[in-house]
């Protein structure tokens, strides 16, 4: 009896599971490579273009006038945010109040200041002396200088937006938390400060961080009323030297640097208040 010889099969043994083949993303990689090439070409063009006068940018980047203007910008931003959110929190409480008069006052304030451009508000406050030459027996022009006018105008404008941010954060708190606090006999103020606001911070911090960065950049508008912030400081220099582009680059680089630092800080603050939630990381 002769044995039958069979040719060994080269096919892999069946495992019972389908073979997973990664999808080819040739188009995506090609598009990514094209974008990187264009970005590199743009960066090289900016760095090697002598019209940008990078030497002048380096000379004025840490000059006394520029740093003084930067200091005023940071001071004004910090004060406007603190005062704006303090007033905005009060307005948010007004809007959520059971008292119809307080609700109307809160709504009217937010409606008016959100409906008026910030430049118009600043120019109005800058010319308030035409309506009220004296305040408390003091000449208005002596009492309200350009910096005070900028602080008042920006704060009132910021408070209208802060009120909506805080109100949205308060409304995001589960109603059961408030009812539980009421059942424990906590007063309205303690419920707000101990229960509602700490939980509302998760919803308040992201838009508040965006408002902070927006306020930092928005302070540049005070240059129209001769407040020597960062932008006005570089304008004074290039009006004298006629080096407009490099001085504007100095202001741009400082704005980018400070907003980048604030963005990093916002990330960590958000992560702190998001502890214990599914989105925390």
């Amino acid at each position: 009896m002769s044995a039958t010889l069979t040719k060994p099969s080269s096919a892999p043994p069946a495992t019972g599971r389908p073979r997973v083949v990664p999808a080819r993303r040739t188009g995506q990689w090609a598009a990514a490579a094209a974008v990187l090439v264009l970005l590199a070409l743009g960066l090289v063009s900016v760095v090697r273009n002598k019209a940008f006068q990078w030497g002048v940018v380096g000379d004025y980047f840490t000059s006394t006038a520029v740093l003084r203007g930067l200091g005023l910008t940071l001071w004004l931003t910090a004060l406007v945010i603190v005062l704006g959110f303090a007033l905005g929190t009060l307005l948010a409480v007004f809007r959520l109040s059971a008292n119809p008069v307080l609700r109307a006052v809160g709504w009217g304030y937010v409606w008016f200041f959100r409906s008026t451009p910030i430049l118009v508000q600043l120019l109005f406050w800058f010319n308030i002396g035409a309506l009220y030459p004296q305040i408390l027996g003091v000449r208005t022009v002596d009492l309200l200088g350009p910096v005070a006018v900028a602080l008042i105008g920006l704060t009132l404008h910021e408070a209208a937006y802060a009120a909506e941010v805080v109100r949205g954060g308060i409304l995001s708190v589960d109603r059961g938390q408030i009812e539980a606090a009421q059942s424990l006999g906590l007063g309205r103020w303690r419920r707000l400060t101990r229960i509602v606001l700490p939980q509302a911070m998760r919803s308040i911090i992201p838009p508040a961080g965006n408002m902070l960065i927006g306020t930092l950049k928005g302070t540049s508008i005070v240059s129209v009323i001769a407040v020597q912030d960062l932008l006005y400081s570089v304008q004074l220099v290039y009006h004298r030297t006629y080096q407009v582009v490099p001085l504007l680059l100095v202001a741009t680089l400082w704005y980018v640097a400070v907003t980048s630092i604030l963005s990093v800080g916002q990330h960590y603050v958000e992560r702190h208040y998001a502890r214990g939630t599914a989105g925390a990381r």
Side-chain angles (χ1 to χ4, degrees), residues 145-224:
V147 175
V149 167
L151 181 60
I152 292 172
L154 291 175
T155 298
L156 295 178
H157 178 78
E158 196 79 6
Y161 290 89
E164 292 300 278
V165 170
V166 175
R167 186 173 72 93
I170 293 174
L171 291 176
S172 69
V173 178
D174 186 71
R175 181 66 187 174
Q177 298 287 325
I178 302 175
E179 293 175 353
Q182 288 175 333
S183 66
L184 293 174
L186 296 180
R188 185 178 180 84
W189 177 251
R190 293 191 66 186
R191 291 200 305 269
L192 178 66
T193 57
R194 299 291 183 88
I195 305 297
V196 177
L197 285 181
Q199 296 185 69
M201 291 300 288
R202 288 197 299 267
S203 300
I204 292 175
I205 289 297
N210 294 334
M211 286 182 60
L212 173 60
I213 294 174
T215 301
L216 173 70
K217 297 182 294 183
T219 55
S220 60
I221 201 171
V222 301
S223 60
V224 300

Side-chain angles (χ1 to χ4, degrees), residues 68-86:
R68 188 182 300 117
L70 175 63
L72 180 58
T73 293
L74 295 177
W75 174 84
L76 192 60
T77 300
L79 207 54
V80 166
I81 281 292
V82 171
L83 296 178
F85 265 89

Side-chain angles (χ1 to χ4, degrees), residues 202 271 273-281:
R202 288 197 299 267
R271 192 170 70 173
Y273 282 103
R275 290 178 302 177
T277 61
R281 62 180 186 275

Side-chain angles (χ1 to χ4, degrees), residues 16-253:
R17 290 180 299 177
R19 183 183 177 187
V20 179
V21 179
R24 294 186 177 88
R25 297 183 174 88
T26 307
Q28 292 184 9
W29 287 110
V35 170
L36 290 176
V37 169
L38 291 176
L39 288 176
L41 291 175
L43 181 61
V44 170
S45 173
V46 170
V47 172
R48 299 183 63 180
N49 191 339
K50 295 182 179 180
F52 284 99
Q53 303 179 46
W54 291 108
V56 177
V57 174
D59 292 338
Y60 283 100
F61 190 72
T62 56
S63 63
T64 303
V66 170
L67 292 180
R68 188 182 300 117
L70 175 63
L72 180 58
T73 293
L74 295 177
W75 174 84
L76 192 60
T77 300
L79 207 54
V80 166
I81 281 292
V82 171
L83 296 178
F85 265 89
L87 179 56
T89 302
L90 180 63
L91 292 169
V93 174
F94 279 11
R95 292 207 61 187
L96 297 172
S97 173
N99 189 317
V101 176
L102 295 181
R103 286 204 310 270
V105 170
W107 181 88
Y109 182 99
V110 172
W111 166 77
F112 178 78
F113 281 96
R114 290 203 308 176
S115 302
T116 312
I118 180 59
L119 180 58
V120 174
Q121 296 179 34
L122 287 176
L123 292 176
F124 177 84
W125 286 107
F126 190 68
N127 294 280
I128 194 67
L131 297 175
Y132 300 97
Q134 289 189 349
I135 299 177
L136 300 176
V138 182
R139 290 198 312 165
T140 306
V141 293
D142 297 330
L143 186 63
L144 297 178
V147 175
V149 167
L151 181 60
I152 292 172
L154 291 175
T155 298
L156 295 178
H157 178 78
E158 196 79 6
Y161 290 89
E164 292 300 278
V165 170
V166 175
R167 186 173 72 93
I170 293 174
L171 291 176
S172 69
V173 178
D174 186 71
R175 181 66 187 174
Q177 298 287 325
I178 302 175
E179 293 175 353
Q182 288 175 333
S183 66
L184 293 174
L186 296 180
R188 185 178 180 84
W189 177 251
R190 293 191 66 186
R191 291 200 305 269
L192 178 66
T193 57
R194 299 291 183 88
I195 305 297
V196 177
L197 285 181
Q199 296 185 69
M201 291 300 288
R202 288 197 299 267
S203 300
I204 292 175
I205 289 297
N210 294 334
M211 286 182 60
L212 173 60
I213 294 174
T215 301
L216 173 70
K217 297 182 294 183
T219 55
S220 60
I221 201 171
V222 301
S223 60
V224 300
I225 56 175
V227 175
Q228 294 191 20
D229 68 319
L230 176 59
L231 179 59
Y232 192 76
S233 297
V234 301
Q235 286 177 331
L236 291 178
V237 176
Y238 71 61
H239 285 159
R240 185 178 69 252
T241 63
Y242 300 103
Q243 296 169 318
V244 179
V245 172
L247 268 301
L248 288 178
L249 281 174
V250 169
T252 300
L253 291 176

